[in-house]
Amino acid sequence: MDLPQQAIELDDLTLRRFNGETDLPELLRVIEESLEHLRPWMAWVAEHSPAKTAGFLARRAERWASGEEFTYVIVLNGAIVGVCWLLRRDETPDSGREIGYWLHPAATGRGLATRATRALVAQAFRLPGVDYVEVVHDTANRASGAVPARLGFTEHLRRPAERLAPAETGEDQIWRLPRHQADDLAAEAC
């Protein structure tokens, strides 16, 4: 199986695979500093703990090797400022992948999530059989929705979703970018 690059260099921004226990202290600091920023949209924040974050990091290598999920730390000028991922959910056909992201509040509004997403689009289409990528977010999370809109994704559908985080409305918005529309975007990221 072709796998995404383990490190993606984008000038001052780097996406790289987690480095297990080495990344744990810095990632914990970034999460702790971001809790109030993430709490409205990320259900896992309610149960955040150092042990859960350590467990999350421990599972990344296995999920990467299996092709289920490719999770990267977002590094700006040598410091972790967020996380992004490319995954296939159980209910998603083999031909689709989902991209997600979150940033430390000090790193928002600077185009970092957009740049990371553009790079993950390119990685998704390196995988055999992938015909489209999606970004899924609660309809009220306008900041998350701005990223796929900037990159030329189109709104594919809205669907009911369980409200898991405090600000969620119970409706997901799904943006889709098919391979045939992504050629220019993917070329920009390489």
Side-chain angles (χ1 to χ4, degrees), residues 111-181:
L112 302 180
T114 301
R115 290 170 62 197
T117 300
R118 180 183 291 120
L120 292 182
V121 166
Q123 296 305 304
F125 291 130
R126 291 179 57 169
L127 299 171
V130 173
D131 294 327
Y132 66 91
V133 291
E134 294 178 331
V135 172
V136 179
H137 63 89
D138 188 88
T139 56
N141 189 341
R142 293 201 167 109
S144 283
V147 172
R150 273 195 288 287
L151 292 173
F153 285 63
T154 55
E155 187 175 336
H156 177 63
L157 64 92
R158 292 178 184 224
R159 68 176 179 215
E162 186 177 354
R163 291 186 66 204
L164 300 173
E168 291 181 338
T169 64
E171 182 179 48
D172 280 343
Q173 184 170 359
I174 302 172
W175 298 82
R176 183 174 279 189
L177 185 71
R179 177 185 291 273
H180 70 273
Q181 291 179 341

Side-chain angles (χ1 to χ4, degrees), residues 7-28:
I8 305 164
E9 299 291 336
L10 306 166
D11 299 321
D12 60 341
L13 190 68
T14 301
L15 310 181
R16 67 166 173 75
R17 267 182 84 167
F18 279 105
N19 189 4
E21 292 179 17
T22 304
D23 284 333
L24 182 59
E26 188 175 6
L27 183 62
L28 281 171

Side-chain angles (χ1 to χ4, degrees), residues 20-66:
E21 292 179 17
T22 304
D23 284 333
L24 182 59
E26 188 175 6
L27 183 62
L28 281 171
R29 179 190 56 75
V30 171
I31 291 171
E32 291 292 328
E33 292 175 1
S34 303
L35 287 175
E36 292 312 308
H37 171 70
L38 299 174
R39 188 175 316 283
W41 310 112
M42 301 285 189
W44 59 266
V45 169
E47 298 179 1
H48 165 69
S49 71
K52 287 193 182 264
T53 300
F56 170 82
L57 286 177
R59 292 186 300 275
R60 295 311 93 195
E62 178 184 326
R63 293 181 67 85
W64 188 288
S66 72

Side-chain angles (χ1 to χ4, degrees), residues 45-108:
V45 169
E47 298 179 1
H48 165 69
S49 71
K52 287 193 182 264
T53 300
F56 170 82
L57 286 177
R59 292 186 300 275
R60 295 311 93 195
E62 178 184 326
R63 293 181 67 85
W64 188 288
S66 72
E68 291 176 74
E69 181 178 336
F70 307 101
T71 306
Y72 297 85
V73 286
I74 302 172
V75 180
L76 179 65
N77 297 320
I80 294 174
V81 296
V83 176
C84 61
W85 56 91
L86 175 64
L87 63 88
R88 188 184 74 74
R89 296 196 187 274
D90 290 341
E91 67 274 7
T92 304
D94 288 342
S95 60
R97 294 296 183 276
E98 182 179 323
I99 293 173
Y101 37 81
W102 65 262
L103 292 171
H104 184 285
T108 62

